[in-house]
């Protein structure tokens, strides 16, 4: 990074003058207390010198079985890793970290559909043990698939693979609550279609 050779792609190349500027910028960033920042929604940490948040939601509520939900999570991992193979401006950082983020949304509907549990049930540790074990299973599936698939295609195992994000717009498209958030109202007035 300190030589300024961290930005560029097949399509866009940095000229020598700009590379000098980028080297100075990298040296300043490396002296900072924190060299990582977050994306606009704050769920993914990224290098201050430039990176991407390659993230996706899985809505397990719409699966017919828990196995089908896990299959969707694993497919999402593979898809995001393939996205990271695309040519991009921060290709070197992407190749170095291969960061992805797989999150769940519509958790409350999922909990009700598969476990007949409400929010109050979910915070009862004994009663909701099976639910939380399933969430752990899903988490492990994402990490496992990230490691196996990365090895299979010959890329770095993602430095990050799990996220929890607000997911407001995505959740509305699929008719579920955002992420792990409770619905704030019984009904909403829809202004835009």
């Amino acid at each position: 990074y300190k030589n300024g050779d961290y930005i560029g792609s097949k399509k866009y190349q940095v000229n020598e003058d700009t590379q000098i500027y980028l080297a100075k910028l990298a040296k300043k960033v490396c002296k900072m207390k924190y060299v990582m920042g977050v994306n606009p929604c704050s769920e993914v940490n990224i290098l201050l010198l430039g990176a991407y948040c390659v993230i996706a939601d899985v809505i397990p509520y719409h699966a017919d079985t828990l196995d089908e939900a896990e299959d969707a999570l694993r497919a999402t991992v593979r898809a995001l890793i393939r996205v990271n193979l695309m040519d991009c401006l921060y290709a070197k950082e992407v190749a170095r970290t291969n960061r992805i983020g797989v999150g769940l949304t519509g958790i409350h509907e999922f909990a009700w559909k598969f476990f007949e549990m409400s929010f109050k049930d979910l915070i009862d540790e004994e009663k909701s043990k099976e639910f939380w074990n399933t969430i752990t299973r899903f988490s492990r599936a994402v990490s496992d698939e990230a490691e196996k698939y990365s090895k299979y295609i010959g890329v770095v195992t993602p430095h990050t693979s799990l996220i929890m994000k607000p997911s407001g717009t995505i959740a509305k498209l699929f008719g579920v609550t955002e992420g792990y958030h409770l619905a704030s109202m019984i009904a909403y007035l829809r202004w835009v279609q």
Side-chain angles (χ1 to χ4, degrees):
Y1 285 87
K2 290 183 180 178
N3 68 4
D5 188 25
Y6 55 90
I7 292 179
S9 66
K10 292 175 188 171
K11 185 174 182 179
Y12 299 106
Q13 297 298 313
V14 174
N15 65 34
E16 288 179 31
D17 292 341
T18 304
Q19 194 159 342
I20 292 168
Y21 165 75
L22 292 171
K24 290 178 181 179
L25 181 64
K27 287 174 187 168
K28 287 190 181 289
V29 167
C30 289
K31 290 178 185 175
M32 296 173 72
K33 184 177 180 180
Y34 302 105
V35 297
M36 302 295 279
V38 293
N39 69 325
C41 295
S42 301
E43 69 267 351
V44 178
N45 60 326
I46 53 178
L47 184 68
L48 291 177
L49 294 171
Y52 299 104
C53 60
V54 179
I55 58 180
D57 283 305
V58 173
I59 299 101
Y61 167 75
H62 289 296
D64 291 327
T65 66
L66 296 177
D67 289 339
E68 187 178 286
E70 182 179 325
D71 288 345
L73 286 158
R74 288 179 179 275
T76 302
V77 168
R78 295 189 301 272
L80 294 179
I81 290 172
R82 286 192 305 272
V83 167
N84 276 345
L85 296 174
M86 296 169 63
D87 189 34
C88 61
L89 192 57
Y90 302 115
K92 292 176 183 174
E93 176 66 9
V94 172
R96 182 182 79 82
T97 64
N98 198 20
R99 288 185 191 281
I100 62 169
V102 178
L104 299 176
T105 195
I107 294 301
H108 299 290
E109 293 82 0
F110 168 70
W112 183 256
K113 177 179 178 178
F114 286 95
F115 302 94
E116 295 184 357
M117 292 185 185
S118 68
F119 174 76
K120 288 183 181 179
D121 298 325
L122 294 179
I123 58 175
D124 179 331
E125 291 182 31
E126 285 303 312
K127 187 173 187 180
S128 62
K129 193 171 186 176
E130 185 182 359
F131 168 83
W132 290 110
N133 284 341
T134 300
I135 296 298
T136 300
R137 169 190 168 185
F138 289 170
S139 172
R140 288 182 179 150
V142 167
S143 298
D144 176 66
E145 192 67 24
E147 187 175 331
K148 285 179 180 174
Y149 191 67
S150 296
K151 188 174 185 176
Y152 175 73
I153 64 171
V155 297
V156 169
T157 299
H159 287 201
T160 56
S161 57
L162 298 164
I163 59 165
M164 187 64 246
K165 65 189 203 73
S167 190
T169 304
I170 305 282
K172 285 171 184 54
L173 290 172
F174 291 96
V176 294
T177 52
E178 295 93 352
Y180 279 78
H181 305 53
L182 285 170
S184 61
M185 299 179 184
I186 293 172
Y188 296 93
L189 179 60
R190 185 172 179 180
W191 290 92
V192 179
Q193 284 191 343

